[in-house]
Amino acid sequence: MPTLSTGAVIAVEHISKSVTDSTGSLAILRDIDFSLAPRETVAIVGASGSGKSTLLSIIAGLDTPTQGTVRVAGQDIFALTEDQRAAVRAQKMGFVFQSFQLMGNLTALENVMLPLELAARKDARKAATEMLERVGLGARLGHYPKLLSGGEQQRVALARAFVVQPAVLLADEPTGSLDFATGEKVMELMFELNREQGTTLVLVTHDRGIAAQCERRITIEAGQIAHA
């Protein structure tokens, strides 16, 4: 598989990750290599413990590889300082997590405004309000996360991720905390927003039905790509 295709938004280049403890060295990822084009959607699938979430953290620059690197829009993120990587995440990436990761002391509106305010957007309140209305939560702007259902919290998380119009959306088991029906609705909304904004989507999931909705599926087994 080629390391970098022309115009790749993300290039994962021969990533390996090992950790060492008192029992010795454990290889979590081994020579992971693929690239993603603009607007492409890919599901990273595999059993629990296969290394999927570690790979996603490395793509985001939140974890560092033992070998290899990741390029985002051609930029080697591991040649950057931690602050510079944080800036790349803020400018180019959106995140959706299984556990929502909302700020409990902020309202739905304030949670969605937060990344816009960090980017010094003067229209933060207007843009956040419009995005919450887009995900069907126009009547929940002033609600704190604890007053929202799981599905509503994940829709707030989607609004927060997409409001910055990221080049890349990284989603880690986004329906893992939801019941089946709610999860289906959340995923339908995620794919709709993804198409509307032309985002490149990297989705970690163990759900084959969700994975089948992506253009590509990369299967990780024992830290290696088994199918791509």
Side-chain angles (χ1 to χ4, degrees):
M1 181 179 295
T3 296
L4 178 62
S5 63
T6 303
V9 173
I10 295 176
V12 177
E13 301 182 352
H14 302 289
I15 288 292
S16 294
K17 174 73 175 181
S18 298
V19 294
T20 303
D21 60 18
S22 59
T23 62
S25 180
L26 173 65
I28 299 174
L29 296 171
R30 308 176 193 214
D31 197 30
I32 304 293
D33 191 82
F34 64 89
S35 61
L36 297 177
R39 298 176 176 266
E40 193 169 10
T41 60
V42 62
I44 299 175
V45 299
S48 178
S50 60
K52 306 185 302 296
S53 292
T54 299
L55 176 57
L56 200 72
S57 292
I58 289 173
I59 292 172
L62 295 167
D63 195 358
T64 55
T66 306
Q67 292 182 329
T69 197
V70 173
R71 297 183 190 276
V72 177
Q75 186 171 43
D76 181 350
I77 63 173
F78 294 110
L80 305 175
T81 66
E82 286 190 19
D83 286 347
Q84 289 171 330
R85 285 201 297 273
V88 170
R89 284 192 291 272
Q91 293 164 9
K92 298 183 183 298
M93 296 180 177
F95 298 88
V96 180
F97 303 95
Q98 176 177 338
S99 56
F100 317 134
Q101 300 284 2
L102 299 177
M103 302 290 288
N105 61 331
L106 300 181
T107 65
L109 179 60
E110 290 166 343
N111 265 284
V112 179
M113 286 174 61
L114 186 58
L116 297 172
E117 291 177 325
L118 292 173
R121 284 270 298 270
K122 294 181 179 179
D123 64 338
R125 179 173 293 274
K126 179 176 182 291
T129 299
E130 290 174 351
M131 183 56 71
L132 281 166
E133 290 172 347
R134 171 64 186 85
V135 301
L137 293 176
R140 298 283 192 272
L141 302 182
H143 286 56
Y144 290 92
K146 66 181 179 181
L147 300 177
L148 301 172
S149 69
E152 288 172 334
Q153 289 186 62
Q154 196 60 299
R155 281 191 275 161
V156 174
L158 285 175
R160 181 183 59 188
F162 279 105
V163 75
V164 296
Q165 296 185 314
V168 179
L169 180 72
L170 304 177
D172 192 359
E173 299 283 8
T175 63
S177 297
L178 306 175
D179 63 73
F180 179 76
T182 302
E184 277 202 325
K185 292 177 182 176
V186 165
M187 289 309 304
E188 182 179 345
L189 179 60
M190 177 184 287
F191 282 113
E192 283 179 5
L193 291 168
N194 195 71
R195 286 190 296 270
E196 287 173 11
Q197 293 198 5
T199 309
T200 297
L201 173 65
V202 184
L203 169 66
V204 164
T205 183
H206 66 276
D207 188 317
R208 299 282 174 170
I210 292 174
Q213 298 178 61
C214 293
E215 295 166 346
R216 286 173 62 191
R217 284 160 293 287
I218 296 174
T219 302
I220 306 291
E221 291 180 3
Q224 294 179 295
I225 292 180
H227 306 285

